[in-house]
Amino acid sequence: MTVTRREFCHSIGLLSLLGTVGCKEILDLLPKGVAQRPRLDGQAPGGEQWSLVEHVLRRCSYGPVPGDRLLVEEQEGIDPFIASQLAPDSIDDTLCERTIRSIERIHRPRRELYSEDPRMLLHDLVRARILRAVYSRRQLKEIMVDTWSDHFNIAWSKGNCRWLKIADEQEVIRPNALGKFRNLVRGSATSPAMLIYLDGHDNKVVNPGDRPNENYGRELLELHTLGVDGGYSQRDVFEAARCLSGWTYGHSFGHVSEVAFDPARHDDGAKDILGTRIPAGGGADDLERLLDIICSHPSTARHVSRRLVRTFVDDPAPEGVLGAAERSFRETDGDITSVVATILAHEDFRTARGTLFKRPFRFVVSSLRVTDADTDGGPTLQNVLRRMGQAPYEYPTPDGYPLEAAPWHASLLWRWNFAVDLCRGELEGTSVDIDSLSRRCGGEAASIRHILGRAPTDEEARQLSGPDALSLALCTPAFQWH
């Protein structure tokens, strides 16, 4: 058995307490995780349509676990629930965070990552992503992490991204998921993993006649900010690349993959971007001027708002809620929390029920939540996602996994196989206590209503019977949408 340095020091610390406290007190000090989460009784809905509570739980979280509906209806209410989810730091998520902290590799400093097998780093990063999505009480934040991970997609497999994607997730995506959009773009632009993935580290202008590498500049405008229809030209791409030249990363004593600006590699001449002139001699500030211009542009407000509306409301984005989200983006200088709050308060959101097809990650996670499954998020579950076509951090191109429903229809057979294996206990590292779930929901028929979020239709009721009733409920068309 291998003992990590942290585990050894923790054990020594516990032993030092034995002289002053008893064994029971020592046990009380040991970390607890999601295995100790409360197992609440469920409230199975009885109506023929999804209630507003059901709708909100399915859009603002990865789906209800037993007890969630009662919590929202009787203790919080819809608006307080949404408000708390939009302020994730106010939510006690101790059990989940203790579990995540036990995945030691993803918390190591960059300089230690290069000694690790990158396949194990990927495994641990995906495992943490799954466990947070399934068990975190900060569900809306996890949905936003998923959104921005696609919006600023980095394929794990390219070069040093295999080691540095962890830093991008921990330092850029998660801290800024509900913050200012400009801060998110700024963090991404200077992320070592993004500099590698889109060749920003090769963007240099050293000699007369050198042309900057335009790869990142193009994706910054097309995907991250203005959008493909955002009104920029090829000249704007070129000028953006000039602004970005000189940013790179490297290794020095005591520092690994540190990002820095090298003035010797920067085009320091005057630039014109989207009709705004950036004077010569700006150096590193050219990046800040560029971000000021593009993040405050009306096209960015529309492009980012459209993605958020497609995430929470419908695809294509309805014009009413899209317009409201755009105004919120402009009026708050791209405050993501304010934009999402505007979307969730809009009538278009509250009436668009069951209009979004679950991508594989959401389907798997919502299945685990609705059955209150225990999972380690390990290789078996990760291979399930890989077979369905949505393994986190493995999409090869910068546009990220598609939001549209059509590309995911081919994964239906794999979904059905997963649902059957889950409920039969045939997934290594994952289990469901069907009898306990049934008791907590009020019987098998109530468990079906819990999974569907409503009473089954007559046809569904005829089909959803027998020993595989719960797995069949997970396979229904109704469960594939949210």
Side-chain angles (χ1 to χ4, degrees):
M1 175 182 177
T2 301
V3 179
T4 67
R5 181 173 62 249
R6 181 178 299 175
E7 290 167 340
F8 175 77
C9 293
H10 181 63
S11 299
I12 293 298
L14 289 176
L15 289 172
S16 69
L17 293 174
L18 283 172
T20 57
V21 299
C23 292
K24 181 180 185 302
E25 287 80 4
I26 287 291
L27 291 174
D28 290 340
L29 293 173
L30 292 172
K32 295 179 180 179
V34 295
Q36 285 76 40
R37 69 192 185 278
R39 308 279 183 152
L40 303 178
D41 289 339
Q43 182 188 52
E48 296 182 354
Q49 304 293 330
W50 284 350
S51 67
L52 182 56
V53 168
E54 188 74 24
H55 174 60
V56 168
L57 284 171
R58 287 171 181 257
R59 291 289 174 87
C60 298
S61 75
Y62 281 103
V65 298
D68 274 358
R69 298 181 187 92
L70 195 60
L71 176 68
V72 174
E73 288 180 354
E74 294 188 359
Q75 297 182 24
E76 294 190 19
I78 290 171
D79 291 334
F81 170 77
I82 291 175
S84 68
Q85 288 294 314
L86 287 169
D89 290 345
S90 69
I91 301 173
D92 181 5
D93 208 22
T94 302
L95 294 180
C96 184
E97 286 307 307
R98 283 177 178 168
T99 296
I100 298 302
R101 283 198 297 271
S102 73
I103 309 175
E104 190 173 81
R105 270 183 290 256
I106 67 171
H107 303 293
R108 290 178 178 170
R110 294 179 195 170
R111 64 180 178 274
E112 295 183 13
L113 296 178
Y114 287 94
S115 64
E116 299 288 347
D117 182 336
R119 294 168 297 181
M120 292 305 300
L121 292 176
L122 176 65
H123 167 272
D124 285 359
L125 186 60
V126 175
R127 180 175 174 233
R129 178 84 168 274
I130 292 170
L131 291 176
R132 278 184 163 126
V134 175
Y135 296 119
S136 175
R137 297 181 64 231
R138 301 166 179 173
Q139 282 285 293
L140 186 58
K141 179 177 179 178
E142 295 310 309
I143 290 170
M144 295 308 302
V145 167
D146 183 66
T147 297
W148 299 130
S149 292
D150 273 334
H151 193 79
F152 298 94
N153 184 56
I154 294 174
W156 162 86
S157 58
K158 183 173 180 178
N160 283 5
C161 295
R162 291 175 294 172
W163 291 276
L164 293 175
K165 177 55 189 170
I166 283 179
D168 183 82
E169 178 88 358
Q170 305 284 59
E171 299 169 15
V172 178
I173 301 297
R174 299 197 66 83
N176 296 296
L178 281 163
K180 288 284 188 178
F181 182 71
R182 189 194 184 282
N183 293 343
L184 188 54
V185 179
R186 176 64 167 76
S188 180
T190 55
S191 162
M194 186 62 80
L195 284 167
I196 295 163
Y197 181 54
L198 291 178
D199 306 317
H201 67 297
D202 285 333
N203 183 5
K204 58 185 182 295
V205 177
V206 178
N207 302 308
D210 284 354
R211 290 182 61 86
N213 186 307
E214 298 178 11
N215 196 16
Y216 174 66
R218 183 178 306 281
E219 306 303 355
L220 176 65
L221 301 186
E222 179 178 324
L223 296 177
H224 300 170
T225 56
L226 303 174
V228 67
D229 56 351
Y232 65 89
S233 67
Q234 172 56 35
R235 181 68 185 177
D236 292 318
V237 172
F238 178 76
E239 296 291 271
R242 292 178 63 211
C243 291
L244 294 160
S245 61
W247 287 92
T248 188
Y249 79 102
H251 311 301
S252 60
F253 182 76
H255 299 281
V256 176
S257 296
E258 291 296 317
V259 172
F261 176 77
D262 184 352
R265 296 159 58 98
H266 179 61
D267 182 341
D268 215 19
K271 305 163 184 77
D272 288 283
I273 179 84
L274 296 166
T276 299
R277 187 167 183 79
I278 299 177
D285 283 342
D286 282 356
L287 168 62
E288 309 303 333
R289 294 293 305 279
L290 171 65
L291 295 184
D292 287 343
I293 292 167
I294 61 177
C295 290
S296 62
H297 197 279
S299 293
T300 297
R302 185 164 184 83
H303 179 60
V304 176
S305 296
R306 182 187 293 120
R307 183 175 193 101
L308 293 175
V309 171
R310 292 175 68 199
T311 298
F312 287 104
V313 183
D314 205 350
D315 188 18
E319 282 296 328
V321 64
L322 177 56
E326 282 185 74
R327 288 190 296 275
S328 177
F329 190 100
R330 293 194 300 269
E331 291 168 0
T332 64
D333 294 324
D335 183 73
I336 297 167
T337 296
S338 297
V339 177
V340 175
T342 297
I343 292 170
L344 299 181
H346 200 277
E347 185 65 16
D348 285 350
F349 164 75
R350 306 215 168 190
T351 57
R353 305 184 190 183
T355 58
L356 296 174
F357 190 73
K358 292 180 181 177
R359 301 193 299 177
F361 185 82
R362 193 171 197 124
F363 167 74
V364 168
V365 171
S366 64
S367 298
L368 297 174
R369 284 180 61 80
V370 81
T371 57
D372 203 11
D374 290 305
T375 185
D376 61 5
T380 299
L381 204 60
Q382 293 182 29
N383 284 332
V384 165
L385 289 167
R386 193 167 288 114
R387 285 194 296 267
M388 290 186 189
Q390 199 187 3
Y393 316 112
E394 294 188 32
Y395 196 74
T397 56
D399 50 339
Y401 285 110
L403 289 174
E404 299 84 359
W408 304 112
H409 290 165
S411 70
L412 290 177
L413 179 59
W414 289 112
R415 296 178 186 224
W416 299 335
N417 290 338
F418 163 76
V420 172
D421 290 344
L422 172 66
C423 293
R424 289 181 177 177
E426 296 178 0
L427 291 173
E428 185 177 355
T430 301
S431 63
V432 174
D433 189 334
I434 298 295
D435 292 337
S436 172
L437 180 67
S438 179
R439 286 195 304 272
R440 289 158 56 202
C441 289
E444 183 178 286
S447 298
I448 299 297
R449 299 200 306 275
H450 165 64
I451 291 173
L452 298 181
R454 56 166 174 75
T457 65
D458 291 342
E459 179 60 26
E460 287 170 338
R462 284 193 291 271
Q463 300 294 330
L464 301 178
S465 60
D468 290 323
L470 293 190
S471 60
L472 290 173
L474 297 175
C475 297
T476 59
F479 193 74
Q480 308 305 313
W481 296 80
H482 68 103

